[in-house]
Amino acid sequence: AQSVTQLDSHVSVSEGTPVLLRCNYSSSYSPSLFWYVQHPNKGLQLLLKYTSAATLVKGINGFEAEFKKSETSFHLTKPSAHMSDAAEYFCVVIVFGNEKLTFGTGTRLTIIP
Amino acid sequence: DTGVSQDPRHKITKRGQNVTFRCDPISEHNRLYWYRQTLGQGPEFLTYFQNEAQLEKSRLLSDRFSAERPKGSFSTLEIQRTEQGDSAMYLCASSFSGDSSYNEQFFGPGTRLTVL
């Protein structure tokens, strides 16, 4: 079985400052990990994915995440927050051969002007 | 726009009524998924289809729920005798099964169900 834990339900940062959204995973097999973003009244959008290639993964809109097996973590970062980054972010795990995505409970990111 | 579409976007119903939601996947995608998202939680997997075959169902999918994908294109999710606990956002996603170890799932905007 696999699971993800998002360590913060809500993160607030000032515009122009760094963003850190934390995620820890648990998996019996080598996992694939993702971050999805959900803006109000819009569908979930894939930000980035880790599928056992490079451990530092770059995504859209300047986001990146690093897979750390020793820490079972996959934290999402961005050097400089923009107002348009305000949204709900989900860390997601999937195991090869298993079709279902397992989502974390989400982190709501608020950007302070 | 050729993304995943869902209809209706919002549904309000009274307890005990039946409701049906529709999902139209991206046209070349052969896999279709249903998830449910309650307030303050991440989406939870309900079921998925490859073409018209329903290959997996979650234990969350009680016998009041039924999903179909009759021609391997659009899908419907029906809830019979709705209960207040069914109030949630129902999300549909689709993907194309290929050679990669993971096939990205593209999500629709969801159908928000409110059971009074």
Side-chain angles (χ1 to χ4, degrees), chain A residues 34 36 38 41 43-44 46 49 51 90 94 96 98-101 103-105, chain B residues 9 31 33 35 37 40-43 45 48 56 101-102 104-105 107-108:
Chain A
F34 315 91
Y36 276 82
Q38 187 175 39
N41 300 315
L44 286 157
L46 182 66
K49 61 183 177 184
T51 55
F90 293 96
I94 192 170
F96 179 63
N98 187 333
E99 282 303 310
K100 55 186 176 186
L101 299 177
F103 285 76
T105 51
Chain B
R9 294 289 303 276
R31 288 184 176 164
Y33 310 79
Y35 291 82
Q37 184 178 16
Q41 300 295 316
F45 171 83
Y48 94 95
E56 188 173 349
S101 60
Y102 168 71
E104 180 181 345
Q105 296 182 24
F107 283 82

PDB file of all heavy atoms in Angstrom, chain A residues 34 36 38 41 43-44 46 49 51 90 94 96 98-101 103-105, chain B residues 9 31 33 35 37 40-43 45 48 56 101-102 104-105 107-108:
ATOM      1  N   PHE A  34       4.044  12.817  -7.730  1.00  0.00           N
ATOM      2  CA  PHE A  34       3.584  13.963  -8.503  1.00  0.00           C
ATOM      3  C   PHE A  34       3.113  15.077  -7.571  1.00  0.00           C
ATOM      4  O   PHE A  34       2.755  14.832  -6.414  1.00  0.00           O
ATOM      5  CB  PHE A  34       2.398  13.575  -9.403  1.00  0.00           C
ATOM      6  CG  PHE A  34       2.597  12.285 -10.117  1.00  0.00           C
ATOM      7  CD1 PHE A  34       2.169  11.100  -9.550  1.00  0.00           C
ATOM      8  CD2 PHE A  34       3.237  12.251 -11.334  1.00  0.00           C
ATOM      9  CE1 PHE A  34       2.378   9.887 -10.187  1.00  0.00           C
ATOM     10  CE2 PHE A  34       3.449  11.048 -11.978  1.00  0.00           C
ATOM     11  CZ  PHE A  34       3.017   9.864 -11.403  1.00  0.00           C
ATOM     12  N   TYR A  36       0.115  17.979  -8.013  1.00  0.00           N
ATOM     13  CA  TYR A  36      -0.976  18.557  -8.789  1.00  0.00           C
ATOM     14  C   TYR A  36      -1.399  19.861  -8.124  1.00  0.00           C
ATOM     15  O   TYR A  36      -1.328  19.996  -6.898  1.00  0.00           O
ATOM     16  CB  TYR A  36      -2.190  17.623  -8.820  1.00  0.00           C
ATOM     17  CG  TYR A  36      -2.156  16.540  -9.869  1.00  0.00           C
ATOM     18  CD1 TYR A  36      -1.451  15.360  -9.649  1.00  0.00           C
ATOM     19  CD2 TYR A  36      -2.847  16.676 -11.070  1.00  0.00           C
ATOM     20  CE1 TYR A  36      -1.436  14.351 -10.610  1.00  0.00           C
ATOM     21  CE2 TYR A  36      -2.841  15.676 -12.034  1.00  0.00           C
ATOM     22  CZ  TYR A  36      -2.134  14.518 -11.792  1.00  0.00           C
ATOM     23  OH  TYR A  36      -2.129  13.521 -12.743  1.00  0.00           O
ATOM     24  N   GLN A  38      -4.687  22.701  -7.878  1.00  0.00           N
ATOM     25  CA  GLN A  38      -6.123  22.860  -8.135  1.00  0.00           C
ATOM     26  C   GLN A  38      -6.510  24.309  -7.845  1.00  0.00           C
ATOM     27  O   GLN A  38      -6.518  24.725  -6.678  1.00  0.00           O
ATOM     28  CB  GLN A  38      -6.931  21.895  -7.266  1.00  0.00           C
ATOM     29  CG  GLN A  38      -8.417  21.856  -7.574  1.00  0.00           C
ATOM     30  CD  GLN A  38      -9.127  20.793  -6.752  1.00  0.00           C
ATOM     31  OE1 GLN A  38      -8.838  20.578  -5.580  1.00  0.00           O
ATOM     32  NE2 GLN A  38     -10.077  20.090  -7.379  1.00  0.00           N
ATOM     33  N   ASN A  41     -12.575  26.293  -9.106  1.00  0.00           N
ATOM     34  CA  ASN A  41     -13.425  26.094 -10.279  1.00  0.00           C
ATOM     35  C   ASN A  41     -12.661  25.625 -11.513  1.00  0.00           C
ATOM     36  O   ASN A  41     -13.138  25.770 -12.638  1.00  0.00           O
ATOM     37  CB  ASN A  41     -14.205  27.371 -10.617  1.00  0.00           C
ATOM     38  CG  ASN A  41     -15.096  27.797  -9.467  1.00  0.00           C
ATOM     39  OD1 ASN A  41     -15.782  26.969  -8.869  1.00  0.00           O
ATOM     40  ND2 ASN A  41     -15.063  29.071  -9.127  1.00  0.00           N
ATOM     41  N   GLY A  43     -10.006  22.327 -13.108  1.00  0.00           N
ATOM     42  CA  GLY A  43      -9.585  20.949 -12.909  1.00  0.00           C
ATOM     43  C   GLY A  43      -8.189  20.852 -12.338  1.00  0.00           C
ATOM     44  O   GLY A  43      -7.411  21.794 -12.384  1.00  0.00           O
ATOM     45  N   LEU A  44      -7.857  19.709 -11.799  1.00  0.00           N
ATOM     46  CA  LEU A  44      -6.513  19.436 -11.305  1.00  0.00           C
ATOM     47  C   LEU A  44      -5.524  19.463 -12.465  1.00  0.00           C
ATOM     48  O   LEU A  44      -5.775  18.889 -13.523  1.00  0.00           O
ATOM     49  CB  LEU A  44      -6.468  18.060 -10.643  1.00  0.00           C
ATOM     50  CG  LEU A  44      -7.126  17.969  -9.275  1.00  0.00           C
ATOM     51  CD1 LEU A  44      -7.524  16.536  -8.974  1.00  0.00           C
ATOM     52  CD2 LEU A  44      -6.172  18.482  -8.206  1.00  0.00           C
ATOM     53  N   LEU A  46      -1.411  18.847 -13.570  1.00  0.00           N
ATOM     54  CA  LEU A  46      -0.132  18.281 -13.180  1.00  0.00           C
ATOM     55  C   LEU A  46       0.951  19.364 -13.215  1.00  0.00           C
ATOM     56  O   LEU A  46       1.150  20.022 -14.225  1.00  0.00           O
ATOM     57  CB  LEU A  46       0.252  17.139 -14.121  1.00  0.00           C
ATOM     58  CG  LEU A  46       1.556  16.419 -13.812  1.00  0.00           C
ATOM     59  CD1 LEU A  46       1.443  15.665 -12.485  1.00  0.00           C
ATOM     60  CD2 LEU A  46       1.921  15.451 -14.932  1.00  0.00           C
ATOM     61  N   LYS A  49       6.388  15.661 -12.208  1.00  0.00           N
ATOM     62  CA  LYS A  49       6.327  14.247 -11.860  1.00  0.00           C
ATOM     63  C   LYS A  49       7.735  13.670 -11.709  1.00  0.00           C
ATOM     64  O   LYS A  49       8.669  14.086 -12.402  1.00  0.00           O
ATOM     65  CB  LYS A  49       5.555  13.458 -12.904  1.00  0.00           C
ATOM     66  CG  LYS A  49       6.149  13.507 -14.299  1.00  0.00           C
ATOM     67  CD  LYS A  49       5.246  12.751 -15.285  1.00  0.00           C
ATOM     68  CE  LYS A  49       5.795  12.863 -16.707  1.00  0.00           C
ATOM     69  NZ  LYS A  49       4.878  12.218 -17.696  1.00  0.00           N
ATOM     70  N   THR A  51       9.531   9.932 -11.889  1.00  0.00           N
ATOM     71  CA  THR A  51       9.274   8.538 -12.273  1.00  0.00           C
ATOM     72  C   THR A  51      10.578   7.754 -12.360  1.00  0.00           C
ATOM     73  O   THR A  51      10.796   7.003 -13.300  1.00  0.00           O
ATOM     74  CB  THR A  51       8.539   8.482 -13.626  1.00  0.00           C
ATOM     75  OG1 THR A  51       9.305   9.200 -14.602  1.00  0.00           O
ATOM     76  CG2 THR A  51       7.158   9.075 -13.536  1.00  0.00           C
ATOM     77  N   PHE A  90      -1.628  19.315  -4.229  1.00  0.00           N
ATOM     78  CA  PHE A  90      -1.736  17.934  -3.781  1.00  0.00           C
ATOM     79  C   PHE A  90      -0.491  17.155  -4.166  1.00  0.00           C
ATOM     80  O   PHE A  90      -0.063  17.184  -5.330  1.00  0.00           O
ATOM     81  CB  PHE A  90      -2.957  17.250  -4.398  1.00  0.00           C
ATOM     82  CG  PHE A  90      -4.267  17.800  -3.927  1.00  0.00           C
ATOM     83  CD1 PHE A  90      -4.948  18.753  -4.659  1.00  0.00           C
ATOM     84  CD2 PHE A  90      -4.819  17.359  -2.728  1.00  0.00           C
ATOM     85  CE1 PHE A  90      -6.154  19.262  -4.227  1.00  0.00           C
ATOM     86  CE2 PHE A  90      -6.037  17.866  -2.280  1.00  0.00           C
ATOM     87  CZ  PHE A  90      -6.699  18.820  -3.027  1.00  0.00           C
ATOM     88  N   ILE A  94       1.835   6.982  -6.936  1.00  0.00           N
ATOM     89  CA  ILE A  94       1.302   5.847  -7.679  1.00  0.00           C
ATOM     90  C   ILE A  94       2.407   4.812  -7.796  1.00  0.00           C
ATOM     91  O   ILE A  94       3.593   5.152  -7.847  1.00  0.00           O
ATOM     92  CB  ILE A  94       0.779   6.259  -9.069  1.00  0.00           C
ATOM     93  CG1 ILE A  94      -0.039   5.133  -9.716  1.00  0.00           C
ATOM     94  CG2 ILE A  94       1.915   6.682  -9.980  1.00  0.00           C
ATOM     95  CD1 ILE A  94      -0.777   5.560 -10.975  1.00  0.00           C
ATOM     96  N   PHE A  96       3.848   1.478  -9.958  1.00  0.00           N
ATOM     97  CA  PHE A  96       3.755   0.889 -11.291  1.00  0.00           C
ATOM     98  C   PHE A  96       2.879  -0.357 -11.264  1.00  0.00           C
ATOM     99  O   PHE A  96       3.027  -1.210 -10.393  1.00  0.00           O
ATOM    100  CB  PHE A  96       5.146   0.533 -11.809  1.00  0.00           C
ATOM    101  CG  PHE A  96       5.119  -0.103 -13.168  1.00  0.00           C
ATOM    102  CD1 PHE A  96       4.637   0.606 -14.265  1.00  0.00           C
ATOM    103  CD2 PHE A  96       5.566  -1.398 -13.369  1.00  0.00           C
ATOM    104  CE1 PHE A  96       4.603   0.040 -15.521  1.00  0.00           C
ATOM    105  CE2 PHE A  96       5.531  -1.965 -14.635  1.00  0.00           C
ATOM    106  CZ  PHE A  96       5.062  -1.253 -15.710  1.00  0.00           C
ATOM    107  N   ASN A  98      -0.292  -0.242 -10.800  1.00  0.00           N
ATOM    108  CA  ASN A  98      -1.495   0.137 -10.068  1.00  0.00           C
ATOM    109  C   ASN A  98      -2.010   1.425 -10.680  1.00  0.00           C
ATOM    110  O   ASN A  98      -1.273   2.399 -10.784  1.00  0.00           O
ATOM    111  CB  ASN A  98      -1.138   0.347  -8.598  1.00  0.00           C
ATOM    112  CG  ASN A  98      -2.350   0.586  -7.735  1.00  0.00           C
ATOM    113  OD1 ASN A  98      -3.368   1.079  -8.206  1.00  0.00           O
ATOM    114  ND2 ASN A  98      -2.250   0.260  -6.470  1.00  0.00           N
ATOM    115  N   GLU A  99      -3.239   1.444 -11.113  1.00  0.00           N
ATOM    116  CA  GLU A  99      -3.749   2.592 -11.864  1.00  0.00           C
ATOM    117  C   GLU A  99      -4.244   3.740 -11.010  1.00  0.00           C
ATOM    118  O   GLU A  99      -4.509   4.818 -11.510  1.00  0.00           O
ATOM    119  CB  GLU A  99      -4.878   2.129 -12.783  1.00  0.00           C
ATOM    120  CG  GLU A  99      -4.394   1.441 -14.039  1.00  0.00           C
ATOM    121  CD  GLU A  99      -3.466   2.330 -14.832  1.00  0.00           C
ATOM    122  OE1 GLU A  99      -3.817   3.499 -15.099  1.00  0.00           O
ATOM    123  OE2 GLU A  99      -2.365   1.864 -15.199  1.00  0.00           O
ATOM    124  N   LYS A 100      -4.435   3.523  -9.720  1.00  0.00           N
ATOM    125  CA  LYS A 100      -5.083   4.590  -8.953  1.00  0.00           C
ATOM    126  C   LYS A 100      -4.067   5.532  -8.319  1.00  0.00           C
ATOM    127  O   LYS A 100      -3.089   5.104  -7.719  1.00  0.00           O
ATOM    128  CB  LYS A 100      -5.995   3.999  -7.878  1.00  0.00           C
ATOM    129  CG  LYS A 100      -5.348   3.034  -6.941  1.00  0.00           C
ATOM    130  CD  LYS A 100      -6.409   2.410  -6.033  1.00  0.00           C
ATOM    131  CE  LYS A 100      -5.786   1.361  -5.138  1.00  0.00           C
ATOM    132  NZ  LYS A 100      -6.806   0.634  -4.357  1.00  0.00           N
ATOM    133  N   LEU A 101      -4.336   6.827  -8.482  1.00  0.00           N
ATOM    134  CA  LEU A 101      -3.553   7.847  -7.821  1.00  0.00           C
ATOM    135  C   LEU A 101      -3.985   7.928  -6.363  1.00  0.00           C
ATOM    136  O   LEU A 101      -5.178   7.896  -6.064  1.00  0.00           O
ATOM    137  CB  LEU A 101      -3.770   9.208  -8.485  1.00  0.00           C
ATOM    138  CG  LEU A 101      -3.381   9.324  -9.963  1.00  0.00           C
ATOM    139  CD1 LEU A 101      -3.736  10.720 -10.476  1.00  0.00           C
ATOM    140  CD2 LEU A 101      -1.904   9.061 -10.164  1.00  0.00           C
ATOM    141  N   PHE A 103      -3.856  10.474  -3.311  1.00  0.00           N
ATOM    142  CA  PHE A 103      -3.628  11.889  -3.042  1.00  0.00           C
ATOM    143  C   PHE A 103      -3.391  12.138  -1.548  1.00  0.00           C
ATOM    144  O   PHE A 103      -3.957  11.444  -0.689  1.00  0.00           O
ATOM    145  CB  PHE A 103      -4.860  12.709  -3.447  1.00  0.00           C
ATOM    146  CG  PHE A 103      -5.025  12.904  -4.929  1.00  0.00           C
ATOM    147  CD1 PHE A 103      -5.497  11.867  -5.731  1.00  0.00           C
ATOM    148  CD2 PHE A 103      -4.726  14.109  -5.520  1.00  0.00           C
ATOM    149  CE1 PHE A 103      -5.659  12.038  -7.094  1.00  0.00           C
ATOM    150  CE2 PHE A 103      -4.887  14.292  -6.893  1.00  0.00           C
ATOM    151  CZ  PHE A 103      -5.356  13.246  -7.679  1.00  0.00           C
ATOM    152  N   GLY A 104      -2.603  13.166  -1.264  1.00  0.00           N
ATOM    153  CA  GLY A 104      -2.534  13.697   0.085  1.00  0.00           C
ATOM    154  C   GLY A 104      -3.758  14.560   0.358  1.00  0.00           C
ATOM    155  O   GLY A 104      -4.621  14.736  -0.512  1.00  0.00           O
ATOM    156  N   THR A 105      -3.811  15.117   1.558  1.00  0.00           N
ATOM    157  CA  THR A 105      -4.985  15.907   1.943  1.00  0.00           C
ATOM    158  C   THR A 105      -4.930  17.336   1.432  1.00  0.00           C
ATOM    159  O   THR A 105      -5.895  18.067   1.569  1.00  0.00           O
ATOM    160  CB  THR A 105      -5.135  15.920   3.474  1.00  0.00           C
ATOM    161  OG1 THR A 105      -3.883  16.293   4.048  1.00  0.00           O
ATOM    162  CG2 THR A 105      -5.545  14.549   3.999  1.00  0.00           C
TER     163      THR A 105
ATOM    164  N   ARG B   9     -22.025  20.613 -14.031  1.00  0.00           N
ATOM    165  CA  ARG B   9     -20.964  21.105 -13.150  1.00  0.00           C
ATOM    166  C   ARG B   9     -21.440  21.143 -11.706  1.00  0.00           C
ATOM    167  O   ARG B   9     -20.652  20.974 -10.784  1.00  0.00           O
ATOM    168  CB  ARG B   9     -20.516  22.498 -13.596  1.00  0.00           C
ATOM    169  CG  ARG B   9     -19.847  22.517 -14.964  1.00  0.00           C
ATOM    170  CD  ARG B   9     -18.465  21.861 -14.919  1.00  0.00           C
ATOM    171  NE  ARG B   9     -17.600  22.492 -13.941  1.00  0.00           N
ATOM    172  CZ  ARG B   9     -16.889  23.589 -14.165  1.00  0.00           C
ATOM    173  NH1 ARG B   9     -16.918  24.176 -15.346  1.00  0.00           N
ATOM    174  NH2 ARG B   9     -16.118  24.079 -13.213  1.00  0.00           N
ATOM    175  N   ARG B  31      -8.239   5.122 -21.248  1.00  0.00           N
ATOM    176  CA  ARG B  31      -8.525   4.879 -19.829  1.00  0.00           C
ATOM    177  C   ARG B  31      -9.307   6.052 -19.257  1.00  0.00           C
ATOM    178  O   ARG B  31      -9.040   7.216 -19.564  1.00  0.00           O
ATOM    179  CB  ARG B  31      -7.233   4.680 -19.046  1.00  0.00           C
ATOM    180  CG  ARG B  31      -6.591   3.339 -19.355  1.00  0.00           C
ATOM    181  CD  ARG B  31      -5.366   3.079 -18.515  1.00  0.00           C
ATOM    182  NE  ARG B  31      -4.841   1.740 -18.775  1.00  0.00           N
ATOM    183  CZ  ARG B  31      -3.631   1.335 -18.430  1.00  0.00           C
ATOM    184  NH1 ARG B  31      -2.829   2.168 -17.795  1.00  0.00           N
ATOM    185  NH2 ARG B  31      -3.230   0.121 -18.703  1.00  0.00           N
ATOM    186  N   TYR B  33     -11.146   7.401 -15.445  1.00  0.00           N
ATOM    187  CA  TYR B  33     -11.141   7.218 -13.998  1.00  0.00           C
ATOM    188  C   TYR B  33     -12.198   8.112 -13.360  1.00  0.00           C
ATOM    189  O   TYR B  33     -12.455   9.222 -13.831  1.00  0.00           O
ATOM    190  CB  TYR B  33      -9.779   7.622 -13.410  1.00  0.00           C
ATOM    191  CG  TYR B  33      -8.585   7.023 -14.101  1.00  0.00           C
ATOM    192  CD1 TYR B  33      -8.119   7.549 -15.305  1.00  0.00           C
ATOM    193  CD2 TYR B  33      -7.893   5.946 -13.552  1.00  0.00           C
ATOM    194  CE1 TYR B  33      -7.014   7.018 -15.949  1.00  0.00           C
ATOM    195  CE2 TYR B  33      -6.782   5.411 -14.184  1.00  0.00           C
ATOM    196  CZ  TYR B  33      -6.353   5.950 -15.385  1.00  0.00           C
ATOM    197  OH  TYR B  33      -5.256   5.418 -16.011  1.00  0.00           O
ATOM    198  N   TYR B  35     -13.007   9.782  -9.489  1.00  0.00           N
ATOM    199  CA  TYR B  35     -12.538  10.050  -8.132  1.00  0.00           C
ATOM    200  C   TYR B  35     -13.618  10.853  -7.423  1.00  0.00           C
ATOM    201  O   TYR B  35     -14.426  11.544  -8.044  1.00  0.00           O
ATOM    202  CB  TYR B  35     -11.245  10.882  -8.148  1.00  0.00           C
ATOM    203  CG  TYR B  35     -10.021  10.173  -8.680  1.00  0.00           C
ATOM    204  CD1 TYR B  35      -9.788  10.070 -10.052  1.00  0.00           C
ATOM    205  CD2 TYR B  35      -9.084   9.618  -7.816  1.00  0.00           C
ATOM    206  CE1 TYR B  35      -8.652   9.432 -10.546  1.00  0.00           C
ATOM    207  CE2 TYR B  35      -7.944   8.978  -8.297  1.00  0.00           C
ATOM    208  CZ  TYR B  35      -7.743   8.892  -9.670  1.00  0.00           C
ATOM    209  OH  TYR B  35      -6.621   8.250 -10.146  1.00  0.00           O
ATOM    210  N   GLN B  37     -14.011  13.750  -4.205  1.00  0.00           N
ATOM    211  CA  GLN B  37     -13.283  14.657  -3.335  1.00  0.00           C
ATOM    212  C   GLN B  37     -14.266  15.326  -2.386  1.00  0.00           C
ATOM    213  O   GLN B  37     -15.154  16.063  -2.807  1.00  0.00           O
ATOM    214  CB  GLN B  37     -12.540  15.714  -4.150  1.00  0.00           C
ATOM    215  CG  GLN B  37     -11.678  16.640  -3.315  1.00  0.00           C
ATOM    216  CD  GLN B  37     -10.916  17.652  -4.153  1.00  0.00           C
ATOM    217  OE1 GLN B  37     -11.224  17.887  -5.316  1.00  0.00           O
ATOM    218  NE2 GLN B  37      -9.884  18.252  -3.573  1.00  0.00           N
ATOM    219  N   GLY B  40     -12.055  19.520   2.124  1.00  0.00           N
ATOM    220  CA  GLY B  40     -10.858  19.455   2.947  1.00  0.00           C
ATOM    221  C   GLY B  40     -10.021  18.209   2.758  1.00  0.00           C
ATOM    222  O   GLY B  40      -9.050  17.990   3.495  1.00  0.00           O
ATOM    223  N   GLN B  41     -10.391  17.393   1.787  1.00  0.00           N
ATOM    224  CA  GLN B  41      -9.646  16.157   1.536  1.00  0.00           C
ATOM    225  C   GLN B  41      -9.127  16.120   0.107  1.00  0.00           C
ATOM    226  O   GLN B  41      -9.603  16.847  -0.765  1.00  0.00           O
ATOM    227  CB  GLN B  41     -10.551  14.938   1.765  1.00  0.00           C
ATOM    228  CG  GLN B  41     -11.107  14.834   3.172  1.00  0.00           C
ATOM    229  CD  GLN B  41     -10.009  14.607   4.194  1.00  0.00           C
ATOM    230  OE1 GLN B  41      -9.111  13.806   3.995  1.00  0.00           O
ATOM    231  NE2 GLN B  41     -10.073  15.337   5.301  1.00  0.00           N
ATOM    232  N   GLY B  42      -8.172  15.240  -0.119  1.00  0.00           N
ATOM    233  CA  GLY B  42      -7.738  15.004  -1.479  1.00  0.00           C
ATOM    234  C   GLY B  42      -8.684  14.045  -2.180  1.00  0.00           C
ATOM    235  O   GLY B  42      -9.451  13.327  -1.528  1.00  0.00           O
ATOM    236  N   PRO B  43      -8.652  14.025  -3.504  1.00  0.00           N
ATOM    237  CA  PRO B  43      -9.506  13.090  -4.244  1.00  0.00           C
ATOM    238  C   PRO B  43      -9.202  11.636  -3.866  1.00  0.00           C
ATOM    239  O   PRO B  43      -8.055  11.285  -3.592  1.00  0.00           O
ATOM    240  CB  PRO B  43      -9.127  13.357  -5.705  1.00  0.00           C
ATOM    241  CG  PRO B  43      -8.596  14.749  -5.719  1.00  0.00           C
ATOM    242  CD  PRO B  43      -7.902  14.913  -4.403  1.00  0.00           C
ATOM    243  N   PHE B  45      -9.852   7.578  -5.142  1.00  0.00           N
ATOM    244  CA  PHE B  45     -10.153   6.756  -6.310  1.00  0.00           C
ATOM    245  C   PHE B  45     -11.454   5.986  -6.093  1.00  0.00           C
ATOM    246  O   PHE B  45     -11.698   5.417  -5.023  1.00  0.00           O
ATOM    247  CB  PHE B  45      -8.996   5.767  -6.524  1.00  0.00           C
ATOM    248  CG  PHE B  45      -9.258   4.714  -7.564  1.00  0.00           C
ATOM    249  CD1 PHE B  45      -9.054   4.983  -8.909  1.00  0.00           C
ATOM    250  CD2 PHE B  45      -9.684   3.449  -7.191  1.00  0.00           C
ATOM    251  CE1 PHE B  45      -9.274   4.003  -9.866  1.00  0.00           C
ATOM    252  CE2 PHE B  45      -9.913   2.464  -8.139  1.00  0.00           C
ATOM    253  CZ  PHE B  45      -9.703   2.744  -9.479  1.00  0.00           C
ATOM    254  N   TYR B  48     -12.024   2.621 -12.399  1.00  0.00           N
ATOM    255  CA  TYR B  48     -11.475   3.014 -13.685  1.00  0.00           C
ATOM    256  C   TYR B  48     -11.821   2.006 -14.772  1.00  0.00           C
ATOM    257  O   TYR B  48     -12.105   0.830 -14.485  1.00  0.00           O
ATOM    258  CB  TYR B  48      -9.972   3.282 -13.604  1.00  0.00           C
ATOM    259  CG  TYR B  48      -9.045   2.134 -13.951  1.00  0.00           C
ATOM    260  CD1 TYR B  48      -8.521   2.007 -15.237  1.00  0.00           C
ATOM    261  CD2 TYR B  48      -8.653   1.220 -12.979  1.00  0.00           C
ATOM    262  CE1 TYR B  48      -7.643   0.984 -15.555  1.00  0.00           C
ATOM    263  CE2 TYR B  48      -7.778   0.197 -13.292  1.00  0.00           C
ATOM    264  CZ  TYR B  48      -7.270   0.086 -14.577  1.00  0.00           C
ATOM    265  OH  TYR B  48      -6.395  -0.936 -14.881  1.00  0.00           O
ATOM    266  N   GLU B  56     -11.308  -1.947 -12.176  1.00  0.00           N
ATOM    267  CA  GLU B  56     -11.100  -1.890 -10.732  1.00  0.00           C
ATOM    268  C   GLU B  56     -12.158  -0.998 -10.106  1.00  0.00           C
ATOM    269  O   GLU B  56     -12.539   0.029 -10.664  1.00  0.00           O
ATOM    270  CB  GLU B  56      -9.705  -1.356 -10.403  1.00  0.00           C
ATOM    271  CG  GLU B  56      -9.347  -1.448  -8.920  1.00  0.00           C
ATOM    272  CD  GLU B  56      -7.908  -1.081  -8.615  1.00  0.00           C
ATOM    273  OE1 GLU B  56      -7.101  -0.949  -9.558  1.00  0.00           O
ATOM    274  OE2 GLU B  56      -7.580  -0.925  -7.420  1.00  0.00           O
ATOM    275  N   SER B 101       5.999   4.070 -17.772  1.00  0.00           N
ATOM    276  CA  SER B 101       5.603   3.477 -16.497  1.00  0.00           C
ATOM    277  C   SER B 101       4.450   4.217 -15.862  1.00  0.00           C
ATOM    278  O   SER B 101       3.801   3.711 -14.979  1.00  0.00           O
ATOM    279  CB  SER B 101       6.800   3.461 -15.545  1.00  0.00           C
ATOM    280  OG  SER B 101       7.248   4.792 -15.329  1.00  0.00           O
ATOM    281  N   TYR B 102       4.204   5.404 -16.290  1.00  0.00           N
ATOM    282  CA  TYR B 102       3.082   6.156 -15.767  1.00  0.00           C
ATOM    283  C   TYR B 102       2.450   6.922 -16.918  1.00  0.00           C
ATOM    284  O   TYR B 102       3.133   7.548 -17.705  1.00  0.00           O
ATOM    285  CB  TYR B 102       3.516   7.136 -14.679  1.00  0.00           C
ATOM    286  CG  TYR B 102       2.421   8.107 -14.348  1.00  0.00           C
ATOM    287  CD1 TYR B 102       1.287   7.689 -13.663  1.00  0.00           C
ATOM    288  CD2 TYR B 102       2.490   9.423 -14.768  1.00  0.00           C
ATOM    289  CE1 TYR B 102       0.262   8.560 -13.397  1.00  0.00           C
ATOM    290  CE2 TYR B 102       1.466  10.312 -14.500  1.00  0.00           C
ATOM    291  CZ  TYR B 102       0.354   9.873 -13.811  1.00  0.00           C
ATOM    292  OH  TYR B 102      -0.661  10.742 -13.552  1.00  0.00           O
ATOM    293  N   GLU B 104      -0.002   9.919 -17.694  1.00  0.00           N
ATOM    294  CA  GLU B 104      -0.568  11.071 -17.005  1.00  0.00           C
ATOM    295  C   GLU B 104      -2.074  11.079 -17.104  1.00  0.00           C
ATOM    296  O   GLU B 104      -2.645  10.870 -18.180  1.00  0.00           O
ATOM    297  CB  GLU B 104       0.004  12.366 -17.589  1.00  0.00           C
ATOM    298  CG  GLU B 104      -0.536  13.618 -16.918  1.00  0.00           C
ATOM    299  CD  GLU B 104       0.010  14.892 -17.508  1.00  0.00           C
ATOM    300  OE1 GLU B 104       1.008  14.829 -18.245  1.00  0.00           O
ATOM    301  OE2 GLU B 104      -0.576  15.959 -17.230  1.00  0.00           O
ATOM    302  N   GLN B 105      -2.694  11.314 -15.974  1.00  0.00           N
ATOM    303  CA  GLN B 105      -4.143  11.427 -15.929  1.00  0.00           C
ATOM    304  C   GLN B 105      -4.531  12.900 -16.016  1.00  0.00           C
ATOM    305  O   GLN B 105      -4.041  13.724 -15.242  1.00  0.00           O
ATOM    306  CB  GLN B 105      -4.686  10.804 -14.642  1.00  0.00           C
ATOM    307  CG  GLN B 105      -4.430   9.303 -14.576  1.00  0.00           C
ATOM    308  CD  GLN B 105      -4.995   8.648 -13.333  1.00  0.00           C
ATOM    309  OE1 GLN B 105      -5.936   9.145 -12.722  1.00  0.00           O
ATOM    310  NE2 GLN B 105      -4.424   7.506 -12.959  1.00  0.00           N
ATOM    311  N   PHE B 107      -7.464  15.685 -15.725  1.00  0.00           N
ATOM    312  CA  PHE B 107      -8.707  15.793 -14.964  1.00  0.00           C
ATOM    313  C   PHE B 107      -9.681  16.782 -15.584  1.00  0.00           C
ATOM    314  O   PHE B 107      -9.290  17.813 -16.143  1.00  0.00           O
ATOM    315  CB  PHE B 107      -8.398  16.232 -13.523  1.00  0.00           C
ATOM    316  CG  PHE B 107      -7.874  15.120 -12.664  1.00  0.00           C
ATOM    317  CD1 PHE B 107      -6.538  14.763 -12.695  1.00  0.00           C
ATOM    318  CD2 PHE B 107      -8.731  14.411 -11.834  1.00  0.00           C
ATOM    319  CE1 PHE B 107      -6.055  13.736 -11.911  1.00  0.00           C
ATOM    320  CE2 PHE B 107      -8.259  13.379 -11.041  1.00  0.00           C
ATOM    321  CZ  PHE B 107      -6.919  13.035 -11.087  1.00  0.00           C
ATOM    322  N   GLY B 108     -10.966  16.466 -15.433  1.00  0.00           N
ATOM    323  CA  GLY B 108     -12.013  17.401 -15.757  1.00  0.00           C
ATOM    324  C   GLY B 108     -12.270  18.352 -14.601  1.00  0.00           C
ATOM    325  O   GLY B 108     -11.670  18.206 -13.530  1.00  0.00           O
TER     326      GLY B 108
END
